Amino acid sequence: MTGPLVVVGDALLDIDLVGQAERLCPDAPVPVLDRLVAHPRPGGAALAAALAAADGQEVVLVTALGVDDAGRQVEALLGDVRVLRVPYDGPTPVKQRVRSAGQSLLRLDSGTGGGRIGPAAAEVLTALEHAGAVLVADYGRGTVEAPGIRPALTRLAPKLPVVWDPHLRGGEPVPGVRLVT
């Protein structure tokens, strides 16, 4: 593969809040968690980018992150991954899973409200043109539909490996992709 792996899609911040449940709440039959520890990690397309980079690949992530603490935290967690932001005026989605003894007890979502996504900058389109392969992680939040991105993916699909990993809310793959998961 010549050129980086370019991951295109919707990123979010995943946080596992892990604690110990040793008793039930007196006013409801729910566990009381003590000694909570937060374990933040990149989620969605950012997770795919982080895993590929951990395997030694050069990775570029094209995504729409909010200009907020969660967006900055996702970028910080990505280390060597080059992040190219698509303009976005909404919040970065955050999914917090409350866990104990390896079991999820509750998930708290925030930042799921809509924002507007703007057109992909020339830097994004150039990164796509120089990709060795593309992974699309479309969770239906709009990154793939940003003006300029879908036409670029359509032009690239016949020329290089494009893998499409859609969420149920994601859009249809462009014609000519090598693999749809």
Side-chain angles (χ1 to χ4, degrees):
M1 176 170 88
T2 322
L5 169 65
V6 177
V7 178
V8 179
D10 306 307
L12 55 107
L13 178 62
D14 275 330
I15 301 173
D16 289 334
L17 296 171
V18 180
Q20 294 181 351
E22 298 172 351
R23 62 188 174 96
L24 292 178
C25 181
D27 58 338
V30 296
V32 174
L33 270 62
D34 289 319
R35 298 179 291 284
L36 282 174
V37 178
H39 300 281
R41 57 189 162 80
L47 176 59
L51 292 171
D55 197 36
Q57 300 299 313
E58 179 186 0
V59 180
V60 176
L61 172 62
V62 173
T63 192
L65 292 169
V67 182
D68 53 17
D69 288 341
R72 287 185 287 278
Q73 194 168 4
V74 169
E75 276 196 83
L77 290 166
L78 287 171
D80 292 334
V81 173
R82 180 175 169 219
V83 178
L84 298 179
R85 287 181 177 231
V86 173
Y88 174 60
D89 66 2
T92 301
V94 178
K95 295 184 181 197
Q96 297 181 80
R97 290 166 182 84
V98 180
R99 301 175 54 83
S100 181
Q103 179 68 43
S104 289
L105 305 175
L106 176 70
R107 190 174 98 183
L108 307 167
D109 288 2
S110 60
T112 58
R116 291 182 314 259
I117 293 182
E123 180 182 34
V124 167
L125 300 177
T126 299
L128 283 167
E129 291 300 324
H130 291 98
V134 176
L135 169 62
V136 178
D138 185 2
Y139 284 72
R141 294 192 48 84
T143 300
V144 175
E145 301 305 325
I149 290 183
R150 186 171 276 277
L153 293 170
T154 300
R155 284 189 306 276
L156 291 173
K159 300 175 188 174
L160 57 96
V162 176
V163 174
W164 203 280
D165 184 21
H167 185 276
L168 293 175
R169 293 185 201 143
E172 290 294 315
V174 299
V177 299
R178 300 268 175 100
L179 176 68
V180 178
T181 62

